[in-house]
Amino acid sequence: HLFVDGIVADGGTNIFDALDVGFDSLPVEPGHPRYVVFLTDGLATAGNTDTEAILAMVRLRNEVGARVYSFGIGDDVNTVLLDRLANESSGAAFYIRPGQPVDVAVAAFFAGISAPVLVDPVLDLRAFGGELAFPATLGDLFAGQTTVLLGRYTKPGSGEIVLSGTRSGEPATYVFAATFPELATRESYVARIWATRQVG
């Protein structure tokens, strides 16, 4: 009790070395997905603090294709870094505002990834001339979570969407009938979101 009371939050935030150690801890055996969970409540202030250098190191170290799931806690975080870590590894970024319980958000995340529905998913939209999708690579799909894919299509009408990936270590394919309208003016906000993500 006295020891805990005497602990003072002090020092810098070394994101570069923390991620480097995280990638060192990943198993190299094939056959299962790999995840790096990164929690931070601040900006990089120690070690190599350059955003591009951190991203380059992660690209170099991530030979096994691990997904990076970033948690930014509070208002003083590098959202550009956390978003790019997630997007470039087909992971996700989560932001927890001051006053929100961190343990609840992290527990919900771990509950989700404990039940993967489809690993390395690929969505085939060629029947509709799908193009410029964001994200370009889908992240793994988990039970109870929603995935949003934005893109354009050049062939309106009826056709099939094919979703494939790995489920429980075995190849899996799902085919869905769909109809894409020539114009969807009531959902004009979708185009704005897509354009904003593409520019970002």
Side-chain angles (χ1 to χ4, degrees):
H1 178 267
L2 294 176
F3 174 77
V4 173
D5 287 343
I7 294 176
V8 177
D10 194 11
T13 301
N14 192 333
I15 291 174
F16 187 100
D17 287 349
L19 287 169
D20 196 33
V21 169
F23 281 102
D24 267 342
S25 304
L26 289 172
V28 294
E29 299 82 13
H32 55 81
R34 293 162 179 83
Y35 305 116
V36 173
V37 180
F38 173 57
L39 292 88
T40 181
D41 65 350
L43 304 170
T45 61
N48 192 333
T49 62
D50 180 68
T51 296
E52 292 302 326
I54 295 169
L55 290 166
M57 179 274 295
V58 168
R59 283 186 218 109
L60 182 66
R61 296 297 318 278
N62 195 7
E63 303 107 345
V64 295
R67 313 297 195 224
V68 179
Y69 292 92
S70 304
F71 285 81
I73 303 165
D75 293 329
D76 191 27
V77 294
N78 184 342
T79 57
V80 171
L81 173 62
L82 300 188
D83 285 347
R84 288 184 61 188
L85 282 170
N87 291 337
E88 292 183 14
S89 68
S90 300
F94 305 94
Y95 295 97
I96 302 171
R97 299 299 309 278
Q100 290 181 308
V102 175
D103 59 335
V104 172
V106 174
F109 164 74
F110 276 103
I113 68 167
S114 67
V117 175
L118 204 62
V119 176
D120 295 325
V122 175
L123 194 64
D124 184 349
L125 294 167
R126 285 179 294 182
F128 299 97
E131 61 182 14
L132 299 175
F134 183 89
T137 304
L138 285 175
D140 296 342
L141 305 180
F142 303 106
Q145 292 186 349
T146 300
T147 297
V148 176
L149 177 71
L150 300 166
R152 295 195 313 193
Y153 59 91
T154 58
K155 299 176 184 175
S158 297
E160 292 182 340
I161 298 173
V162 181
L163 177 64
S164 59
T166 303
R167 182 180 175 102
S168 301
E170 298 292 331
T173 300
Y174 305 92
V175 179
F176 305 94
T179 302
F180 285 13
E182 187 168 350
L183 293 172
T185 55
R186 288 193 307 171
E187 293 82 16
S188 59
Y189 65 90
V190 174
R192 289 196 300 274
I193 295 172
W194 170 81
T196 301
R197 295 287 178 88
Q198 286 292 329
V199 170

